[in-house]
Protein backbone atom coordinates (compact mmCIF):
# COMPACT_ATOMS: atom_id res chain seq x y z
CA UNK A 1 0.00 0.00 0.00
CA UNK A 2 1.12 3.56 -0.63
CA UNK A 3 2.51 5.41 2.34
CA UNK A 4 1.67 8.80 3.80
CA UNK A 5 2.53 11.48 1.24
CA UNK A 6 3.72 14.92 2.26
CA UNK A 7 4.74 17.96 0.25
CA UNK A 8 6.84 19.92 -0.12
CA UNK A 9 9.90 18.11 1.26
CA UNK A 10 11.73 21.34 2.00
CA UNK A 11 10.68 24.96 2.37
CA UNK A 12 12.65 28.09 3.19
CA UNK A 13 10.76 31.29 3.98
CA UNK A 14 11.41 34.61 5.66
CA UNK A 15 9.88 35.39 9.02
CA UNK A 16 6.39 36.88 8.87
CA UNK A 17 5.67 35.06 5.60
CA UNK A 18 3.03 32.36 5.36
CA UNK A 19 3.49 28.70 4.41
CA UNK A 20 1.30 25.66 3.89
CA UNK A 21 2.02 21.95 4.06
CA UNK A 22 -0.02 19.18 2.53
CA UNK A 23 -0.60 15.60 3.66
CA UNK A 24 -2.31 12.68 1.95
CA UNK A 25 -2.84 9.80 4.41
CA UNK A 26 -3.08 6.12 3.69
CA UNK A 27 -6.36 5.32 2.01
CA UNK A 28 -9.04 4.44 4.53
CA UNK A 29 -7.19 5.78 7.56
CA UNK A 30 -9.69 7.76 9.62
CA UNK A 31 -7.21 9.36 12.00
CA UNK A 32 -4.63 11.94 10.91
CA UNK A 33 -1.99 13.66 13.03
CA UNK A 34 0.38 16.59 12.54
CA UNK A 35 3.54 16.59 14.62
CA UNK A 36 6.25 19.24 14.95
CA UNK A 37 9.81 18.00 15.41
CA UNK A 38 12.31 20.68 16.38
CA UNK A 39 15.96 19.76 15.86
CA UNK A 40 17.25 17.66 18.75
CA UNK A 41 13.80 16.99 20.18
CA UNK A 42 11.14 14.34 19.88
CA UNK A 43 8.02 14.98 17.80
CA UNK A 44 5.26 16.96 19.49
CA UNK A 45 1.60 16.57 18.54
CA UNK A 46 0.07 19.71 17.07
CA UNK A 47 -3.35 18.43 16.03
CA UNK A 48 -5.28 15.19 15.67
CA UNK A 49 -8.23 14.66 13.32
CA UNK A 50 -10.77 11.87 13.37
CA UNK A 51 -12.28 11.91 9.89
CA UNK A 52 -12.75 15.67 9.38
CA UNK A 53 -13.30 16.54 13.04
CA UNK A 54 -10.66 17.82 15.45
CA UNK A 55 -9.97 15.48 18.40
CA UNK A 56 -7.05 17.31 20.01
CA UNK A 57 -5.51 20.68 19.15
CA UNK A 58 -4.42 21.65 22.64
CA UNK A 59 -0.79 22.24 21.60
CA UNK A 60 -1.51 24.06 18.36
CA UNK A 61 -0.50 27.76 18.53
CA UNK A 62 -3.82 28.94 17.22
CA UNK A 63 -2.79 32.56 16.80
CA UNK A 64 -0.59 31.54 13.88
CA UNK A 65 -1.20 27.89 13.04
CA UNK A 66 -4.31 26.46 11.41
CA UNK A 67 -5.17 23.07 9.98
CA UNK A 68 -8.04 21.53 8.13
CA UNK A 69 -9.00 18.15 6.81
CA UNK A 70 -11.60 18.48 4.13
CA UNK A 71 -13.81 15.46 3.38
CA UNK A 72 -11.86 13.45 5.92
CA UNK A 73 -8.99 12.69 3.55
CA UNK A 74 -6.20 15.18 2.72
CA UNK A 75 -5.06 17.75 5.23
CA UNK A 76 -3.26 21.07 5.12
CA UNK A 77 -1.32 22.78 7.90
CA UNK A 78 -0.74 26.53 7.60
CA UNK A 79 1.48 28.94 9.45
CA UNK A 80 0.81 32.66 9.18
CA UNK A 81 2.90 34.60 10.04
CA UNK A 82 5.94 32.38 10.54
CA UNK A 83 8.48 32.97 13.31
CA UNK A 84 12.09 31.85 13.54
CA UNK A 85 11.15 29.29 16.21
CA UNK A 86 8.81 27.55 13.75
CA UNK A 87 11.86 26.08 11.99
CA UNK A 88 11.30 22.34 12.32
CA UNK A 89 10.27 19.19 10.51
CA UNK A 90 6.51 18.83 10.24
CA UNK A 91 5.45 15.19 10.23
CA UNK A 92 2.09 13.87 9.17
CA UNK A 93 0.91 10.46 10.33
CA UNK A 94 -2.24 8.42 9.86
CA UNK A 95 -3.81 5.40 11.47
CA UNK A 96 -6.90 3.33 10.93
CA UNK A 97 -7.82 3.77 14.55
CA UNK A 98 -6.28 2.39 17.68
CA UNK A 99 -2.59 2.97 18.02
CA UNK A 100 -2.15 -0.32 19.71
CA UNK A 101 -3.47 -2.55 17.03
CA UNK A 102 -2.77 -0.73 13.82
CA UNK A 103 -0.11 1.70 14.88
CA UNK A 104 0.83 4.77 13.03
CA UNK A 105 2.38 5.35 9.60
CA UNK A 106 4.48 8.49 9.27
CA UNK A 107 5.27 10.49 6.18
CA UNK A 108 8.80 11.66 5.39
CA UNK A 109 8.04 15.15 6.67
CA UNK A 110 8.44 18.71 5.48
CA UNK A 111 11.56 20.51 6.67
CA UNK A 112 10.78 24.20 7.25
CA UNK A 113 13.51 26.78 7.67
CA UNK A 114 12.47 30.29 8.68
CA UNK A 115 15.16 32.95 8.12
CA UNK B 1 -0.39 13.46 31.78
CA UNK B 2 2.02 11.00 30.25
CA UNK B 3 5.70 11.65 29.70
CA UNK B 4 8.74 9.78 28.42
CA UNK B 5 12.37 10.20 29.44
CA UNK B 6 15.17 8.81 27.33
CA UNK B 7 18.13 8.76 29.63
CA UNK B 8 20.88 9.06 27.03
CA UNK B 9 20.94 11.69 24.30
CA UNK B 10 23.83 9.96 22.51
CA UNK B 11 25.15 6.41 22.59
CA UNK B 12 28.35 5.52 20.70
CA UNK B 13 29.19 1.84 20.30
CA UNK B 14 31.49 -0.27 18.20
CA UNK B 15 30.19 -2.45 15.40
CA UNK B 16 29.09 -5.94 16.53
CA UNK B 17 28.89 -4.82 20.17
CA UNK B 18 25.63 -5.04 22.15
CA UNK B 19 23.63 -1.92 22.87
CA UNK B 20 20.87 -0.83 25.24
CA UNK B 21 18.88 2.37 24.82
CA UNK B 22 17.06 3.36 27.97
CA UNK B 23 13.50 4.63 28.25
CA UNK B 24 11.40 5.43 31.30
CA UNK B 25 7.82 6.59 31.23
CA UNK B 26 5.38 8.26 33.58
CA UNK B 27 1.68 7.52 33.47
CA UNK B 28 -1.21 7.16 35.90
CA UNK B 29 -2.97 4.70 33.63
CA UNK B 30 -2.07 1.63 31.62
CA UNK B 31 -0.01 2.32 28.54
CA UNK B 32 0.99 1.17 25.14
CA UNK B 33 4.72 1.57 24.48
CA UNK B 34 6.61 2.00 21.22
CA UNK B 35 10.10 2.37 19.82
CA UNK B 36 10.59 4.21 16.54
CA UNK B 37 13.72 4.69 14.43
CA UNK B 38 14.44 7.72 12.30
CA UNK B 39 17.14 7.59 9.64
CA UNK B 40 18.54 10.90 8.33
CA UNK B 41 16.00 12.93 6.36
CA UNK B 42 13.34 10.27 6.74
CA UNK B 43 10.14 9.82 8.70
CA UNK B 44 9.64 7.58 11.71
CA UNK B 45 9.58 3.81 11.29
CA UNK B 46 8.07 1.51 13.91
CA UNK B 47 10.61 -0.91 15.44
CA UNK B 48 8.36 -2.63 17.95
CA UNK B 49 5.44 -2.08 20.30
CA UNK B 50 4.14 -3.39 23.61
CA UNK B 51 0.38 -3.68 23.98
CA UNK B 52 -0.13 -6.42 26.55
CA UNK B 53 0.94 -9.97 27.31
CA UNK B 54 4.57 -11.03 27.19
CA UNK B 55 6.85 -8.34 28.55
CA UNK B 56 9.60 -9.20 26.06
CA UNK B 57 8.80 -7.78 22.65
CA UNK B 58 10.72 -8.58 19.50
CA UNK B 59 10.84 -6.16 16.61
CA UNK B 60 12.44 -5.64 13.24
CA UNK B 61 16.17 -5.57 12.49
CA UNK B 62 17.02 -7.79 15.49
CA UNK B 63 15.85 -5.32 18.14
CA UNK B 64 13.91 -6.28 21.25
CA UNK B 65 12.57 -4.45 24.29
CA UNK B 66 11.39 -5.44 27.73
CA UNK B 67 8.48 -3.85 29.53
CA UNK B 68 9.06 -3.50 33.27
CA UNK B 69 5.98 -2.16 34.99
CA UNK B 70 7.51 -1.86 38.45
CA UNK B 71 10.38 0.25 37.11
CA UNK B 72 8.20 1.97 34.48
CA UNK B 73 10.83 1.20 31.87
CA UNK B 74 10.90 -0.03 28.29
CA UNK B 75 14.56 -0.40 27.34
CA UNK B 76 15.58 -1.28 23.78
CA UNK B 77 18.35 -3.81 23.15
CA UNK B 78 20.25 -5.39 20.31
CA UNK B 79 22.92 -8.07 20.87
CA UNK B 80 25.12 -7.05 17.93
CA UNK B 81 24.83 -3.75 16.07
CA UNK B 82 25.74 -2.89 12.49
CA UNK B 83 26.81 0.32 10.84
CA UNK B 84 23.34 0.52 9.29
CA UNK B 85 21.80 0.89 12.76
CA UNK B 86 23.18 4.42 13.01
CA UNK B 87 20.05 6.55 13.49
CA UNK B 88 17.91 8.42 16.01
CA UNK B 89 15.71 6.26 18.22
CA UNK B 90 12.53 7.47 19.89
CA UNK B 91 10.55 5.90 22.70
CA UNK B 92 6.85 6.78 22.81
CA UNK B 93 3.83 6.12 25.01
CA UNK B 94 0.12 6.10 24.27
CA UNK B 95 -2.96 5.87 26.47
CA UNK B 96 -5.14 2.97 25.25
CA UNK B 97 -8.28 4.58 26.66
CA UNK B 98 -7.67 8.15 25.60
CA UNK B 99 -7.30 9.98 22.32
CA UNK B 100 -4.48 7.58 21.47
CA UNK B 101 -1.94 10.21 20.58
CA UNK B 102 1.76 9.36 20.86
CA UNK B 103 3.93 11.18 23.40
CA UNK B 104 7.60 10.96 22.45
CA UNK B 105 10.84 11.12 24.35
CA UNK B 106 13.68 13.40 23.32
CA UNK B 107 15.42 10.72 21.30
CA UNK B 108 18.74 8.88 21.51
CA UNK B 109 21.29 9.19 18.74
CA UNK B 110 22.96 5.82 18.20
CA UNK B 111 26.33 6.05 16.47
CA UNK B 112 28.08 2.88 15.36
CA UNK B 113 31.84 3.06 14.99
CA UNK B 114 33.75 0.55 12.83
Amino acid sequence: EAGVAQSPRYKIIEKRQSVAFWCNPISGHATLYWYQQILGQGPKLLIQFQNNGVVDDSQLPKDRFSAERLKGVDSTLKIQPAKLEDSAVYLCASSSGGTGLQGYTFGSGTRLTVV
Amino acid sequence: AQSVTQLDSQVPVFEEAPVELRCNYSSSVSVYLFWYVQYPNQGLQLLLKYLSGSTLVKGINGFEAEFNKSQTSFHLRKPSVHISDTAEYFCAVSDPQGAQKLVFGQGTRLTINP
Side-chain angles (χ1 to χ4, degrees), chain A residues 10-77:
Chain A
Y10 304 93
K11 190 73 176 180
I12 301 175
I13 62 172
E14 295 183 348
K15 59 183 179 183
R16 291 187 291 274
Q17 286 187 323
S18 63
V19 65
F21 313 127
W22 174 81
C23 173
N24 179 235
I26 290 176
S27 178
H29 277 194
T31 310
L32 185 147
Y33 312 81
W34 283 102
Y35 284 83
Q36 180 192 56
Q37 185 178 15
I38 293 173
L39 186 64
Q41 299 182 20
K44 181 185 79 172
L45 180 71
L46 290 176
I47 189 166
Q48 176 183 350
F49 290 96
Q50 181 75 19
N51 295 309
N52 60 349
V54 176
V55 174
D56 183 352
D57 63 356
S58 57
Q59 297 193 82
L60 186 73
K62 299 181 184 64
D63 57 333
R64 297 184 301 106
F65 285 66
S66 65
E68 61 181 7
R69 189 182 185 196
L70 299 176
K71 300 180 181 179
V73 183
D74 293 3
S75 177
T76 55
L77 176 69

Side-chain angles (χ1 to χ4, degrees), chain A residues 77-90:
Chain A
L77 176 69
K78 297 179 182 178
I79 308 174
Q80 182 179 10
K83 293 185 176 181
L84 296 177
E85 58 261 36
D86 298 330
S87 294
V89 175
Y90 291 84

